[in-house]
Amino acid sequence: MDRSIYLQYQEAWDSLFSIGKPRTFNPGEIIYMQGDRDMGLVVLREGQIKNCVYFCSGLEKTVTILEAPAVSGETALIDDGVCLNSAQAVTKADVIIIPSQEALEFLESHPKIMMLLLKSYARKIRGIQLQAESTMFKVQQKLARMLINFRSYGIFCEGNEANLAITHEVLAGFLGATRPKVTEALNAFVDAGYIAKSRGYITIVDHEGLRHLYE
């Protein structure tokens, strides 16, 4: 999450960190699965997690990547339904799991924290909308749009507007494409002078060139 949002609501985050049950998940471990019920509110204190959807075909679609501090599982908490997606640790992740009833009572008595939750939820929805709008694009167009809109696409982690901290595998998960297809598209962008690549990072060199691919 944007560090400025954390500082703006630091007291609210600290309140959330003080309740619930602390758990630690190693990279790749599942925190909860889509379809789970009454998971409660998951508050990420340290590390990164991703929200994703698994399909019967074996395909995985990443929805968001969250960096601490962040919350997950709020949809099922609010509407008392099942979890719409899964949560998986990307790095070692320290989380606080707050039971549903306790979380709801806490939110009702702490309007600042409720506002924090709504802000987080709104950012996720905007990212999902951008992803949905790209559904009919080809892989290169999807990838170009994602790189240009990196901060709004549901990737809430380190990096800046020019240097994006992300791997080919994570990009493939977001785009619903295979890793070789993403690598092929990235190499084409390098050859065209749109981006430069280094281990774990992508540097955007020509914003207008990328934007021209999908507009």
Side-chain angles (χ1 to χ4, degrees), residues 137-153:
F137 287 168
K138 295 179 180 179
V139 172
Q140 283 199 9
Q141 292 174 305
K142 287 182 181 180
L143 181 57
R145 192 167 194 254
M146 180 180 180
L147 294 176
I148 289 295
N149 295 282
F150 190 76
R151 284 286 157 260
S152 303
Y153 216 81

Side-chain angles (χ1 to χ4, degrees), residues 88-198:
Q88 183 180 21
V90 176
T91 65
K92 182 179 179 181
D94 293 332
V95 306
I96 308 294
I97 298 179
I98 307 173
S100 298
Q101 189 58 41
E102 185 177 351
L104 288 171
E105 291 174 358
F106 190 80
L107 291 172
E108 287 174 0
S109 60
H110 293 77
K112 280 190 176 181
I113 297 179
M114 178 65 82
M115 181 57 66
L116 174 66
L117 197 71
L118 290 173
K119 281 181 176 287
S120 172
Y121 192 67
R123 293 185 73 201
K124 291 180 184 179
I125 292 298
R126 288 184 182 277
I128 292 170
Q129 180 178 342
L130 274 174
Q131 294 175 44
E133 290 171 355
S134 300
T135 302
M136 303 306 294
F137 287 168
K138 295 179 180 179
V139 172
Q140 283 199 9
Q141 292 174 305
K142 287 182 181 180
L143 181 57
R145 192 167 194 254
M146 180 180 180
L147 294 176
I148 289 295
N149 295 282
F150 190 76
R151 284 286 157 260
S152 303
Y153 216 81
I155 308 170
F156 308 124
C157 54
E158 66 175 316
N160 55 48
E161 295 302 323
N163 297 295
L164 313 179
I166 196 164
T167 65
H168 295 199
E169 183 177 0
V170 173
L171 285 170
F174 264 101
L175 299 178
T178 63
R179 181 174 176 175
K181 284 287 186 182
V182 169
T183 299
E184 180 183 344
L186 287 172
N187 288 338
F189 290 173
V190 171
D191 292 341
Y194 298 147
I195 66 170
K197 292 193 301 178
S198 58

Side-chain angles (χ1 to χ4, degrees), residues 44 46-50 65-68 88-93 156-158:
L44 178 62
E46 295 287 343
Q48 291 182 3
I49 65 175
K50 67 178 179 180
I65 295 179
L66 304 170
E67 185 171 72
Q88 183 180 21
V90 176
T91 65
K92 182 179 179 181
F156 308 124
C157 54
E158 66 175 316

Side-chain angles (χ1 to χ4, degrees), residues 33-94:
M33 284 292 294
Q34 62 203 60
D36 284 353
R37 182 178 289 276
D38 199 27
M39 179 60 210
L41 185 66
V42 176
V43 184
L44 178 62
R45 187 169 189 172
E46 295 287 343
Q48 291 182 3
I49 65 175
K50 67 178 179 180
N51 291 139
C52 53
V53 177
Y54 298 105
F55 296 93
C56 295
S57 63
L59 181 67
E60 174 189 328
K61 173 68 176 73
T62 302
V63 180
T64 59
I65 295 179
L66 304 170
E67 185 171 72
V71 292
S72 186
E74 64 270 37
T75 302
L77 175 72
I78 292 169
D79 70 3
D80 194 30
V82 299
C83 296
L84 298 179
N85 50 45
S86 301
Q88 183 180 21
V90 176
T91 65
K92 182 179 179 181
D94 293 332

